[in-house]
């Protein structure tokens, strides 16, 4: 496979520079009824995506924006590097870093999927997409999927700060304006409640493991252990500790200038639970509680989210 030419930090910087010259109403485009950022995604890339030939040993991470995908991406890449070292075959002796594509499946160029198909490495593929928009080979070839979910109030809060901190997304003058957009399906990658309800149909599949941001935050050692077991990566106690340490919020934030360039601080903002309490009004709490009750409560993912614990005012 051709060496990936640009780092994540380079790609982010270029996209921000391009977005600075664009009109607000051109920042997002619609594809199959869902909005996406024009500086990272394109209809051509979406059309090319189905040529990806998924493998049963692929590591797929599915998570709505702002649910902690960079965090889990760090953990999964670390696990794959450990797995590769232990496999000690010709392929794993290649420089894993150099084999990497831009981690998000739906972002990149149209040649990306062909390059990925040629990669001999075990692949980590991150996506914000709905299950129905993923390449069909992911389900056909039984690739394992880690589904990451986060409480909707912190997702909205994180998304609001991100939208105002990055130029590739439309910014909002007030939190109230953002809240209306979040609740009326105007977000890039679609509506979070729809995301939860569509992924809920896959939550019982044996190839899908669900983890919440909050449970990983509470017990990262157990979380990493379970993730490693799900993907068949064996870890010594020392390796487990180092994966947890390298993926801590403090470590990732400290390293973010290197990994994400000058926008690192926006990606690694607070990294906690309950920041929504600083933004939500009583009325907004009621509105989101009602939407959750009507659409997600009682489903497997709804129960897993522990809404009563993390989202009740
Ligand atoms: S993005 O832009 O969609 O890719 O964002 P994503 O990475 O999915 O989510 C960003 C939020 O995850 C927090 N984060 C972390 N929390 C805990 N530990 C670690 N290591 C970590 N890394 C990232 C990040 O700070 C964003 O949440 P907020 O609430 O905005 O801080």
């Amino acid at each position: 496979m051709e060496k990936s030419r640009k780092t994540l930090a380079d790609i982010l910087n270029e996209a921000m520079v391009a977005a600075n010259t664009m009109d607000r109403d051109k920042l997002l485009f619609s594809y199959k009824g869902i909005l996406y950022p024009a500086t990272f995604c394109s209809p051509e890339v979406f059309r090319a995506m189905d040529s990806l030939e998924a493998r049963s040993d692929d590591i797929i991470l599915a998570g709505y924006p702002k649910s902690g995908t960079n965090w889990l991406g760090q953990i999964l890449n670390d696990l794959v590097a450990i797995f590769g070292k232990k496999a000690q075959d010709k392929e794993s002796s290649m420089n894993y870093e150099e084999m990497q594509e831009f981690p998000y499946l739906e972002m990149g160029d149209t040649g990306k999927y062909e390059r990925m198909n040629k990669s001999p490495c075990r692949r980590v593929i991150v996506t914000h997409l709905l299950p129905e928009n993923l390449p069909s080979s992911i389900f056909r070839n039984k690739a394992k999927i880690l589904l990451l979910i986060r409480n909707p109030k912190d997702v909205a809060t994180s998304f609001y700060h991100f939208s105002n901190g990055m130029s590739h997304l439309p910014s909002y003058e007030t939190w109230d304006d953002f809240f209306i957009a979040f609740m009326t399906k105007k977000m890039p990658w679609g509506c979070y409640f729809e995301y939860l309800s569509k992924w809920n149909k896959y939550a019982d599949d044996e190839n899908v493991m669900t983890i919440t941001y909050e449970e990983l935050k509470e017990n990262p050692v157990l979380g990493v252990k379970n993730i490693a077991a799900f993907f068949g990566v064996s870890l010594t106690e020392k390796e487990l500790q180092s994966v947890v340490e390298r993926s801590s919020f403090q470590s990732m934030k400290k390293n973010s200038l290197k990994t994400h360039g000058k926008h690192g601080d926006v990606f690694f903002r607070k990294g906690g639970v309950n920041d929504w309490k600083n933004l939500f009004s009583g009325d907004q709490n009621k509105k989101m509680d009602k939407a959750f009750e009507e659409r997600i409560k009682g489903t497997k993912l709804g129960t897993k989210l522990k809404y009563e614990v993390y989202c009740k005012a």
Side-chain angles (χ1 to χ4, degrees), residues 65-66 68-71 104 150 158 213 247 267 269-271:
K66 311 324 293 175
T69 51
N70 280 277
W71 181 17
Y104 290 84
R150 185 181 190 186
S158 180
Y213 179 99
S247 62
F267 279 90
R269 192 184 61 92
K270 280 199 171 171

Side-chain angles (χ1 to χ4, degrees), residues 38-55:
T39 43
F40 286 105
C41 303
S42 72
E44 295 74 36
V45 171
F46 279 119
R47 283 192 284 272
M49 198 189 300
D50 211 45
S51 64
L52 176 81
E53 210 34 57
R55 305 172 190 153

Side-chain angles (χ1 to χ4, degrees), residues 92-103:
S92 61
S93 67
M94 299 170 86
N95 183 340
Y96 182 76
E97 294 284 316
E98 288 182 2
M99 302 300 294
Q100 285 291 284
E101 279 285 351
F102 187 60

Side-chain angles (χ1 to χ4, degrees), residues 105-140:
L105 175 70
E106 59 272 27
M107 304 180 201
D109 58 274
T110 50
K112 166 177 187 167
Y113 308 106
E114 206 174 308
R115 294 194 298 276
M116 287 174 76
N117 285 343
K118 288 187 190 145
S119 166
C121 295
R122 194 166 183 192
R123 303 173 302 190
V124 176
I125 300 171
V126 187
T127 181
H128 296 317
L129 292 177
L130 291 171
E132 70 217 37
N133 293 331
L134 289 175
S136 49
S137 64
I138 289 186
F139 296 103
R140 195 173 58 243

